[in-house]
Amino acid sequence: MAIKNALLVDDSKVARFALSKLLENRNMQVTMAGSAEEALDFLNGNQHPDVIFMDHLMPGMNGVEATKAIKGNPDTSSIPIIMCTSQKSSSFTKEARNFGVYNILSKPTQPDGLGLVLDQLAIDVHEGTLPTAPVLEPEPEAGDHFTGVPDDSSLEVAPPPTENEPAPNEDVTPSAVPLTNDLIEQISRSAVKTHVNNRLHELLSSLFDEQFDHLKRTLEESRSKQESMIEERLTAMSELVEKRTQNLRDEVAAEVNLNLGRELADLKKELSRNSGFTSSHMAELKDHITSVQTIDTEFWQTLQSEAIQQAHEISRETAEDIAQRTIDLFVSQQRSASSKVYTVALAVSLGVFSLGIAWLAGLFG
């Protein structure tokens, strides 16, 4: 399983910021807490991280106490904890591992050391070889990292023992601890170092907070100025566009009206020129009607002559047919009929023929 997200617990904004950048460079998601109490609340109500980076010295609950609380909770005991501290002595490392710390990183954290610890952690998680040491009561933290000195003891400077003088600790009360020059020097160096580190921590935190607040205010002011400037420019641009659009609309409307007026005037002139029939139009129409009338007259005359000719032919053919029939009738009946009847039939035929000729002549006359 890859290490994807981490919980960073440190009361120093500077330390949180520096370590979070190193972790983000390894494509890890970082959640930060400013105190051990805040970290415990986060673990109780959110998804558990893959690893916890715990600061050693914090106001209120320190890193050791927070580690004991996390390891004492069955829900969070499996989360590996890496202690971040400036006290990386062999005795402290042994004690830290006894109460459940996976590894220790020196402050300030270096990228190489962080990479080695995270790579080893990924291997142990993948292979299931995470150490499971029992949680023990932590030793008293007198003088930060000095153990074995009673809490109610006082420091007493004693000269080194001579050959004829008994050791000072033989006559000292049980509550007094004799100190040698080396021990005093060690205590002094440790006290000065601790004081300097704490003071530097306070100064750096204060400076970081001050610079962060100043930068935040500067960014907010800059953003506010930029927003107001953008708003002003947008307003000015909108007004300019509206003004130019209005001018353009007016110019287009004027041009359209002018063109329409010209076209209407030309159309009016054209209509006035073409309204009614002129004398030339009347002459053309008269000639056309005359030519049409002449053509109609010739057509009807031709049609009439052809009809009369056809009527004459029909009358002639009809008369010849009647005459032939009469003759045939006469010849067939001359034996049995008298000449008078023949004469009457012939007269009737001729009369009918004459009447037909007269009727046809009257019809087409």
Side-chain angles (χ1 to χ4, degrees), residues 208-262:
F208 180 83
D209 294 340
E210 182 180 354
Q211 294 297 325
F212 180 79
D213 294 337
H214 177 70
L215 181 60
K216 184 177 180 180
R217 287 194 302 269
T218 303
L219 290 176
E220 291 178 353
E221 292 176 359
S222 177
R223 182 167 54 250
S224 178
K225 289 180 180 179
Q226 289 179 355
E227 291 177 355
S228 62
M229 186 180 299
I230 292 173
E231 185 68 23
E232 292 177 359
R233 289 185 178 180
L234 288 177
T235 303
M237 184 65 68
S238 299
E239 294 177 355
L240 181 60
V241 170
E242 182 66 24
K243 184 178 179 181
R244 291 185 177 180
T245 305
Q246 182 65 34
N247 294 335
L248 182 62
R249 287 201 298 266
D250 296 340
E251 292 176 359
V252 172
E255 187 69 21
V256 171
N257 291 333
L258 181 60
N259 292 334
L260 287 177
R262 290 175 182 176

Short mmCIF file of all heavy atoms in Angstrom, two decimals, residues 208-262:
data_model
loop_
_atom_site.label_atom_id
_atom_site.label_comp_id
_atom_site.label_asym_id
_atom_site.label_seq_id
_atom_site.Cartn_x
_atom_site.Cartn_y
_atom_site.Cartn_z
N PHE A 208 6.82 34.61 11.14
CA PHE A 208 6.02 33.96 10.10
C PHE A 208 4.57 34.43 10.16
O PHE A 208 3.97 34.73 9.12
CB PHE A 208 6.09 32.44 10.26
CG PHE A 208 5.31 31.70 9.23
CD1 PHE A 208 5.85 31.43 7.98
CD2 PHE A 208 4.02 31.26 9.52
CE1 PHE A 208 5.12 30.74 7.04
CE2 PHE A 208 3.29 30.57 8.57
CZ PHE A 208 3.84 30.31 7.33
N ASP A 209 4.02 34.48 11.38
CA ASP A 209 2.64 34.96 11.51
C ASP A 209 2.50 36.39 11.01
O ASP A 209 1.54 36.73 10.31
CB ASP A 209 2.18 34.86 12.96
CG ASP A 209 2.11 33.42 13.43
OD1 ASP A 209 2.04 32.52 12.57
OD2 ASP A 209 2.13 33.19 14.66
N GLU A 210 3.48 37.22 11.40
CA GLU A 210 3.42 38.62 10.98
C GLU A 210 3.53 38.75 9.46
O GLU A 210 2.75 39.48 8.82
CB GLU A 210 4.55 39.40 11.66
CG GLU A 210 4.54 40.89 11.33
CD GLU A 210 5.67 41.63 12.03
OE1 GLU A 210 6.36 41.00 12.86
OE2 GLU A 210 5.85 42.83 11.75
N GLN A 211 4.50 38.01 8.89
CA GLN A 211 4.67 38.08 7.44
C GLN A 211 3.47 37.47 6.71
O GLN A 211 3.03 37.97 5.67
CB GLN A 211 5.96 37.34 7.03
CG GLN A 211 7.23 37.99 7.52
CD GLN A 211 7.42 39.39 6.94
OE1 GLN A 211 7.05 39.64 5.80
NE2 GLN A 211 7.99 40.29 7.73
N PHE A 212 2.94 36.39 7.29
CA PHE A 212 1.77 35.76 6.67
C PHE A 212 0.57 36.70 6.69
O PHE A 212 -0.14 36.85 5.68
CB PHE A 212 1.44 34.45 7.41
CG PHE A 212 0.25 33.74 6.85
CD1 PHE A 212 0.37 32.96 5.70
CD2 PHE A 212 -1.00 33.83 7.47
CE1 PHE A 212 -0.73 32.29 5.19
CE2 PHE A 212 -2.09 33.17 6.96
CZ PHE A 212 -1.95 32.40 5.82
N ASP A 213 0.33 37.34 7.84
CA ASP A 213 -0.78 38.29 7.92
C ASP A 213 -0.56 39.47 6.99
O ASP A 213 -1.50 39.94 6.33
CB ASP A 213 -0.94 38.79 9.37
CG ASP A 213 -1.35 37.67 10.32
OD1 ASP A 213 -1.93 36.68 9.83
OD2 ASP A 213 -1.10 37.79 11.53
N HIS A 214 0.70 39.96 6.93
CA HIS A 214 0.99 41.08 6.04
C HIS A 214 0.78 40.69 4.58
O HIS A 214 0.17 41.45 3.79
CB HIS A 214 2.43 41.55 6.26
CG HIS A 214 2.85 42.65 5.33
ND1 HIS A 214 2.36 43.94 5.43
CD2 HIS A 214 3.72 42.65 4.27
CE1 HIS A 214 2.90 44.69 4.47
NE2 HIS A 214 3.72 43.93 3.76
N LEU A 215 1.27 39.51 4.23
CA LEU A 215 1.08 39.03 2.86
C LEU A 215 -0.39 38.81 2.55
O LEU A 215 -0.86 39.14 1.44
CB LEU A 215 1.86 37.73 2.67
CG LEU A 215 1.80 37.09 1.28
CD1 LEU A 215 2.36 38.04 0.23
CD2 LEU A 215 2.57 35.76 1.26
N LYS A 216 -1.14 38.28 3.51
CA LYS A 216 -2.56 38.06 3.30
C LYS A 216 -3.29 39.39 3.08
O LYS A 216 -4.13 39.51 2.17
CB LYS A 216 -3.15 37.32 4.51
CG LYS A 216 -4.61 36.96 4.35
CD LYS A 216 -5.10 36.17 5.55
CE LYS A 216 -6.58 35.81 5.41
NZ LYS A 216 -7.06 35.05 6.58
N ARG A 217 -2.95 40.39 3.93
CA ARG A 217 -3.59 41.70 3.75
C ARG A 217 -3.20 42.31 2.41
O ARG A 217 -4.04 42.91 1.72
CB ARG A 217 -3.17 42.64 4.89
CG ARG A 217 -3.81 42.32 6.23
CD ARG A 217 -3.64 43.48 7.20
NE ARG A 217 -2.22 43.78 7.42
CZ ARG A 217 -1.47 43.24 8.36
NH1 ARG A 217 -2.01 42.33 9.18
NH2 ARG A 217 -0.21 43.57 8.50
N THR A 218 -1.91 42.16 2.04
CA THR A 218 -1.46 42.71 0.76
C THR A 218 -2.19 42.06 -0.40
O THR A 218 -2.63 42.73 -1.35
CB THR A 218 0.06 42.52 0.61
OG1 THR A 218 0.73 43.14 1.72
CG2 THR A 218 0.55 43.15 -0.69
N LEU A 219 -2.32 40.73 -0.34
CA LEU A 219 -3.03 40.03 -1.40
C LEU A 219 -4.49 40.42 -1.47
O LEU A 219 -5.06 40.60 -2.56
CB LEU A 219 -2.90 38.51 -1.20
CG LEU A 219 -1.49 37.92 -1.42
CD1 LEU A 219 -1.50 36.43 -1.09
CD2 LEU A 219 -1.04 38.14 -2.86
N GLU A 220 -5.12 40.57 -0.30
CA GLU A 220 -6.52 40.98 -0.29
C GLU A 220 -6.70 42.38 -0.85
O GLU A 220 -7.62 42.66 -1.62
CB GLU A 220 -7.08 40.89 1.14
CG GLU A 220 -7.22 39.46 1.65
CD GLU A 220 -7.72 39.43 3.09
OE1 GLU A 220 -7.81 40.52 3.69
OE2 GLU A 220 -8.00 38.32 3.60
N GLU A 221 -5.79 43.30 -0.44
CA GLU A 221 -5.86 44.65 -0.99
C GLU A 221 -5.62 44.66 -2.49
O GLU A 221 -6.31 45.36 -3.24
CB GLU A 221 -4.84 45.54 -0.28
CG GLU A 221 -5.16 45.81 1.20
CD GLU A 221 -4.06 46.61 1.87
OE1 GLU A 221 -3.07 46.93 1.19
OE2 GLU A 221 -4.21 46.92 3.08
N SER A 222 -4.62 43.88 -2.92
CA SER A 222 -4.34 43.81 -4.35
C SER A 222 -5.52 43.21 -5.12
O SER A 222 -5.90 43.72 -6.18
CB SER A 222 -3.09 42.97 -4.59
OG SER A 222 -2.83 42.82 -5.97
N ARG A 223 -6.12 42.16 -4.57
CA ARG A 223 -7.27 41.57 -5.22
C ARG A 223 -8.44 42.53 -5.27
O ARG A 223 -9.14 42.65 -6.28
CB ARG A 223 -7.66 40.27 -4.51
CG ARG A 223 -8.82 39.56 -5.16
CD ARG A 223 -8.98 38.14 -4.66
NE ARG A 223 -9.08 38.07 -3.22
CZ ARG A 223 -8.15 37.58 -2.43
NH1 ARG A 223 -7.02 37.13 -2.95
NH2 ARG A 223 -8.29 37.52 -1.12
N SER A 224 -8.63 43.27 -4.17
CA SER A 224 -9.71 44.25 -4.14
C SER A 224 -9.48 45.35 -5.17
O SER A 224 -10.41 45.75 -5.89
CB SER A 224 -9.83 44.85 -2.73
OG SER A 224 -10.83 45.83 -2.69
N LYS A 225 -8.22 45.83 -5.25
CA LYS A 225 -7.92 46.87 -6.24
C LYS A 225 -8.11 46.34 -7.66
O LYS A 225 -8.64 47.04 -8.53
CB LYS A 225 -6.48 47.35 -6.04
CG LYS A 225 -6.28 48.17 -4.76
CD LYS A 225 -4.84 48.62 -4.63
CE LYS A 225 -4.63 49.45 -3.36
NZ LYS A 225 -3.21 49.88 -3.22
N GLN A 226 -7.64 45.12 -7.89
CA GLN A 226 -7.81 44.55 -9.21
C GLN A 226 -9.27 44.37 -9.58
O GLN A 226 -9.69 44.67 -10.70
CB GLN A 226 -7.09 43.20 -9.29
CG GLN A 226 -5.57 43.30 -9.28
CD GLN A 226 -4.91 41.94 -9.34
OE1 GLN A 226 -5.58 40.91 -9.30
NE2 GLN A 226 -3.58 41.93 -9.42
N GLU A 227 -10.07 43.91 -8.61
CA GLU A 227 -11.50 43.75 -8.89
C GLU A 227 -12.17 45.08 -9.18
O GLU A 227 -12.97 45.20 -10.12
CB GLU A 227 -12.19 43.07 -7.71
CG GLU A 227 -11.79 41.60 -7.53
CD GLU A 227 -12.43 40.99 -6.30
OE1 GLU A 227 -13.09 41.75 -5.54
OE2 GLU A 227 -12.27 39.77 -6.09
N SER A 228 -11.83 46.12 -8.38
CA SER A 228 -12.41 47.44 -8.64
C SER A 228 -11.94 47.99 -9.98
O SER A 228 -12.73 48.59 -10.74
CB SER A 228 -12.04 48.39 -7.51
OG SER A 228 -10.63 48.56 -7.43
N MET A 229 -10.65 47.77 -10.30
CA MET A 229 -10.12 48.25 -11.58
C MET A 229 -10.79 47.53 -12.75
O MET A 229 -11.18 48.16 -13.75
CB MET A 229 -8.62 48.04 -11.62
CG MET A 229 -7.94 48.63 -12.86
SD MET A 229 -6.15 48.32 -12.83
CE MET A 229 -5.72 49.20 -11.32
N ILE A 230 -10.96 46.22 -12.60
CA ILE A 230 -11.62 45.46 -13.66
C ILE A 230 -13.07 45.90 -13.81
O ILE A 230 -13.59 46.04 -14.93
CB ILE A 230 -11.53 43.95 -13.35
CG1 ILE A 230 -10.08 43.48 -13.46
CG2 ILE A 230 -12.43 43.14 -14.29
CD1 ILE A 230 -9.86 42.05 -13.02
N GLU A 231 -13.73 46.15 -12.67
CA GLU A 231 -15.12 46.60 -12.73
C GLU A 231 -15.22 47.96 -13.42
O GLU A 231 -16.11 48.18 -14.26
CB GLU A 231 -15.68 46.69 -11.30
CG GLU A 231 -17.15 47.02 -11.23
CD GLU A 231 -18.01 45.90 -11.76
OE1 GLU A 231 -17.54 44.75 -11.76
OE2 GLU A 231 -19.14 46.20 -12.19
N GLU A 232 -14.30 48.87 -13.10
CA GLU A 232 -14.31 50.17 -13.75
C GLU A 232 -14.06 50.05 -15.25
O GLU A 232 -14.73 50.69 -16.06
CB GLU A 232 -13.24 51.07 -13.12
CG GLU A 232 -13.56 51.48 -11.68
CD GLU A 232 -12.44 52.30 -11.06
OE1 GLU A 232 -11.43 52.51 -11.76
OE2 GLU A 232 -12.57 52.72 -9.90
N ARG A 233 -13.09 49.20 -15.61
CA ARG A 233 -12.80 49.04 -17.03
C ARG A 233 -13.97 48.39 -17.77
O ARG A 233 -14.28 48.78 -18.90
CB ARG A 233 -11.54 48.18 -17.20
CG ARG A 233 -10.26 48.91 -16.78
CD ARG A 233 -9.04 48.08 -17.09
NE ARG A 233 -7.81 48.80 -16.74
CZ ARG A 233 -6.58 48.31 -16.90
NH1 ARG A 233 -6.43 47.10 -17.42
NH2 ARG A 233 -5.52 49.04 -16.56
N LEU A 234 -14.60 47.42 -17.13
CA LEU A 234 -15.76 46.79 -17.76
C LEU A 234 -16.91 47.79 -17.94
O LEU A 234 -17.58 47.80 -18.98
CB LEU A 234 -16.23 45.60 -16.92
CG LEU A 234 -15.33 44.36 -16.96
CD1 LEU A 234 -15.87 43.29 -16.02
CD2 LEU A 234 -15.24 43.80 -18.37
N THR A 235 -17.10 48.63 -16.92
CA THR A 235 -18.15 49.64 -17.02
C THR A 235 -17.85 50.62 -18.14
O THR A 235 -18.73 50.96 -18.95
CB THR A 235 -18.29 50.38 -15.68
OG1 THR A 235 -18.56 49.44 -14.63
CG2 THR A 235 -19.42 51.39 -15.75
N ALA A 236 -16.59 51.09 -18.18
CA ALA A 236 -16.21 52.03 -19.24
C ALA A 236 -16.34 51.38 -20.62
O ALA A 236 -16.82 52.01 -21.58
CB ALA A 236 -14.78 52.51 -19.00
N MET A 237 -15.92 50.12 -20.72
CA MET A 237 -16.02 49.43 -21.99
C MET A 237 -17.48 49.24 -22.41
O MET A 237 -17.84 49.41 -23.58
CB MET A 237 -15.34 48.06 -21.89
CG MET A 237 -15.29 47.27 -23.20
SD MET A 237 -14.29 48.08 -24.45
CE MET A 237 -12.66 47.89 -23.72
N SER A 238 -18.34 48.93 -21.44
CA SER A 238 -19.77 48.76 -21.75
C SER A 238 -20.37 50.08 -22.23
O SER A 238 -21.15 50.11 -23.21
CB SER A 238 -20.51 48.27 -20.51
OG SER A 238 -20.01 47.02 -20.09
N GLU A 239 -20.02 51.17 -21.56
CA GLU A 239 -20.53 52.48 -21.99
C GLU A 239 -20.03 52.83 -23.38
O GLU A 239 -20.79 53.34 -24.22
CB GLU A 239 -20.11 53.55 -20.98
CG GLU A 239 -20.76 53.38 -19.60
CD GLU A 239 -20.25 54.41 -18.61
OE1 GLU A 239 -19.32 55.17 -18.98
OE2 GLU A 239 -20.76 54.45 -17.47
N LEU A 240 -18.74 52.56 -23.65
CA LEU A 240 -18.19 52.86 -24.97
C LEU A 240 -18.86 52.03 -26.05
O LEU A 240 -19.21 52.54 -27.13
CB LEU A 240 -16.68 52.60 -24.96
CG LEU A 240 -15.93 52.88 -26.27
CD1 LEU A 240 -16.07 54.34 -26.67
CD2 LEU A 240 -14.47 52.50 -26.14
N VAL A 241 -19.05 50.74 -25.76
CA VAL A 241 -19.72 49.87 -26.74
C VAL A 241 -21.15 50.33 -26.97
O VAL A 241 -21.63 50.37 -28.12
CB VAL A 241 -19.67 48.41 -26.25
CG1 VAL A 241 -20.56 47.52 -27.11
CG2 VAL A 241 -18.25 47.89 -26.26
N GLU A 242 -21.84 50.69 -25.90
CA GLU A 242 -23.23 51.17 -26.03
C GLU A 242 -23.28 52.45 -26.86
O GLU A 242 -24.15 52.61 -27.73
CB GLU A 242 -23.82 51.40 -24.64
CG GLU A 242 -25.27 51.85 -24.65
CD GLU A 242 -26.20 50.79 -25.18
OE1 GLU A 242 -25.83 49.60 -25.12
OE2 GLU A 242 -27.29 51.15 -25.65
N LYS A 243 -22.33 53.35 -26.61
CA LYS A 243 -22.30 54.62 -27.34
C LYS A 243 -22.02 54.38 -28.82
O LYS A 243 -22.71 54.93 -29.70
CB LYS A 243 -21.24 55.53 -26.74
CG LYS A 243 -21.18 56.91 -27.37
CD LYS A 243 -20.14 57.76 -26.68
CE LYS A 243 -20.06 59.15 -27.33
NZ LYS A 243 -19.03 59.99 -26.67
N ARG A 244 -21.02 53.56 -29.09
CA ARG A 244 -20.70 53.29 -30.49
C ARG A 244 -21.81 52.52 -31.18
O ARG A 244 -22.10 52.74 -32.36
CB ARG A 244 -19.39 52.52 -30.58
CG ARG A 244 -18.17 53.34 -30.16
CD ARG A 244 -16.89 52.59 -30.39
NE ARG A 244 -15.73 53.42 -30.06
CZ ARG A 244 -14.47 53.02 -30.15
NH1 ARG A 244 -14.20 51.77 -30.57
NH2 ARG A 244 -13.47 53.82 -29.84
N THR A 245 -22.44 51.62 -30.47
CA THR A 245 -23.56 50.88 -31.05
C THR A 245 -24.73 51.80 -31.36
O THR A 245 -25.38 51.68 -32.41
CB THR A 245 -24.00 49.78 -30.08
OG1 THR A 245 -22.89 48.95 -29.76
CG2 THR A 245 -25.09 48.92 -30.68
N GLN A 246 -24.99 52.75 -30.46
CA GLN A 246 -26.06 53.70 -30.70
C GLN A 246 -25.76 54.56 -31.92
O GLN A 246 -26.63 54.80 -32.78
CB GLN A 246 -26.25 54.60 -29.45
CG GLN A 246 -27.39 55.61 -29.57
CD GLN A 246 -28.73 54.92 -29.66
OE1 GLN A 246 -28.94 53.88 -29.06
NE2 GLN A 246 -29.65 55.50 -30.43
N ASN A 247 -24.51 55.04 -32.02
CA ASN A 247 -24.13 55.83 -33.20
C ASN A 247 -24.25 55.00 -34.47
O ASN A 247 -24.72 55.50 -35.51
CB ASN A 247 -22.69 56.34 -33.04
CG ASN A 247 -22.56 57.33 -31.88
OD1 ASN A 247 -23.53 57.98 -31.50
ND2 ASN A 247 -21.36 57.43 -31.32
N LEU A 248 -23.83 53.74 -34.39
CA LEU A 248 -23.93 52.88 -35.56
C LEU A 248 -25.38 52.63 -35.96
O LEU A 248 -25.73 52.66 -37.15
CB LEU A 248 -23.22 51.55 -35.27
CG LEU A 248 -23.18 50.53 -36.41
CD1 LEU A 248 -22.42 51.10 -37.60
CD2 LEU A 248 -22.53 49.24 -35.95
N ARG A 249 -26.25 52.43 -34.95
CA ARG A 249 -27.67 52.24 -35.25
C ARG A 249 -28.25 53.48 -35.91
O ARG A 249 -29.02 53.38 -36.88
CB ARG A 249 -28.43 51.92 -33.96
CG ARG A 249 -28.18 50.52 -33.43
CD ARG A 249 -29.32 50.10 -32.49
NE ARG A 249 -29.39 50.99 -31.34
CZ ARG A 249 -28.80 50.75 -30.20
NH1 ARG A 249 -28.07 49.66 -30.04
NH2 ARG A 249 -28.91 51.59 -29.18
N ASP A 250 -27.87 54.65 -35.41
CA ASP A 250 -28.38 55.88 -36.01
C ASP A 250 -27.89 56.04 -37.44
O ASP A 250 -28.66 56.41 -38.34
CB ASP A 250 -27.94 57.08 -35.17
CG ASP A 250 -28.56 57.05 -33.77
OD1 ASP A 250 -29.58 56.35 -33.59
OD2 ASP A 250 -28.01 57.71 -32.86
N GLU A 251 -26.62 55.74 -37.68
CA GLU A 251 -26.08 55.87 -39.03
C GLU A 251 -26.74 54.89 -39.99
O GLU A 251 -27.09 55.25 -41.13
CB GLU A 251 -24.57 55.65 -39.01
CG GLU A 251 -23.80 56.75 -38.27
CD GLU A 251 -22.31 56.44 -38.19
OE1 GLU A 251 -21.93 55.36 -38.70
OE2 GLU A 251 -21.57 57.26 -37.63
N VAL A 252 -26.93 53.67 -39.55
CA VAL A 252 -27.57 52.67 -40.40
C VAL A 252 -29.02 53.04 -40.70
O VAL A 252 -29.49 52.93 -41.84
CB VAL A 252 -27.49 51.28 -39.73
CG1 VAL A 252 -28.33 50.25 -40.50
CG2 VAL A 252 -26.05 50.81 -39.66
N ALA A 253 -29.72 53.50 -39.67
CA ALA A 253 -31.11 53.91 -39.88
C ALA A 253 -31.20 55.08 -40.86
O ALA A 253 -32.07 55.11 -41.75
CB ALA A 253 -31.75 54.28 -38.54
N ALA A 254 -30.32 56.05 -40.72
CA ALA A 254 -30.33 57.20 -41.63
C ALA A 254 -30.02 56.76 -43.06
O ALA A 254 -30.67 57.21 -44.02
CB ALA A 254 -29.30 58.24 -41.16
N GLU A 255 -29.04 55.88 -43.22
CA GLU A 255 -28.69 55.40 -44.56
C GLU A 255 -29.84 54.62 -45.18
O GLU A 255 -30.16 54.79 -46.37
CB GLU A 255 -27.44 54.53 -44.46
CG GLU A 255 -26.86 54.11 -45.80
CD GLU A 255 -26.25 55.28 -46.57
OE1 GLU A 255 -25.92 56.30 -45.92
OE2 GLU A 255 -26.14 55.18 -47.79
N VAL A 256 -30.49 53.77 -44.38
CA VAL A 256 -31.62 52.99 -44.90
C VAL A 256 -32.77 53.91 -45.30
O VAL A 256 -33.39 53.75 -46.36
CB VAL A 256 -32.07 51.96 -43.85
CG1 VAL A 256 -33.37 51.30 -44.26
CG2 VAL A 256 -30.99 50.90 -43.66
N ASN A 257 -33.07 54.90 -44.45
CA ASN A 257 -34.14 55.83 -44.78
C ASN A 257 -33.84 56.61 -46.06
O ASN A 257 -34.72 56.83 -46.90
CB ASN A 257 -34.36 56.79 -43.61
CG ASN A 257 -34.95 56.10 -42.40
OD1 ASN A 257 -35.65 55.09 -42.54
ND2 ASN A 257 -34.67 56.62 -41.21
N LEU A 258 -32.58 57.03 -46.22
CA LEU A 258 -32.20 57.78 -47.42
C LEU A 258 -32.35 56.91 -48.67
O LEU A 258 -32.90 57.36 -49.70
CB LEU A 258 -30.77 58.27 -47.27
CG LEU A 258 -30.21 59.11 -48.43
CD1 LEU A 258 -31.04 60.36 -48.62
CD2 LEU A 258 -28.75 59.47 -48.17
N ASN A 259 -31.88 55.66 -48.60
CA ASN A 259 -32.00 54.77 -49.76
C ASN A 259 -33.46 54.48 -50.09
O ASN A 259 -33.85 54.45 -51.27
CB ASN A 259 -31.25 53.47 -49.49
CG ASN A 259 -29.75 53.68 -49.43
OD1 ASN A 259 -29.21 54.62 -50.04
ND2 ASN A 259 -29.05 52.82 -48.71
N LEU A 260 -34.27 54.25 -49.06
CA LEU A 260 -35.69 53.99 -49.30
C LEU A 260 -36.36 55.20 -49.93
O LEU A 260 -37.21 55.08 -50.82
CB LEU A 260 -36.38 53.63 -47.98
CG LEU A 260 -36.06 52.23 -47.42
CD1 LEU A 260 -36.74 52.04 -46.08
CD2 LEU A 260 -36.49 51.14 -48.38
N GLY A 261 -36.00 56.40 -49.46
CA GLY A 261 -36.58 57.62 -50.05
C GLY A 261 -36.22 57.75 -51.52
O GLY A 261 -37.09 58.10 -52.35
N ARG A 262 -34.97 57.47 -51.84
CA ARG A 262 -34.56 57.55 -53.24
C ARG A 262 -35.29 56.52 -54.10
O ARG A 262 -35.78 56.85 -55.19
CB ARG A 262 -33.06 57.31 -53.33
CG ARG A 262 -32.22 58.45 -52.76
CD ARG A 262 -30.75 58.08 -52.79
NE ARG A 262 -29.93 59.15 -52.21
CZ ARG A 262 -28.61 59.05 -52.03
NH1 ARG A 262 -27.97 57.92 -52.37
NH2 ARG A 262 -27.93 60.05 -51.51
#
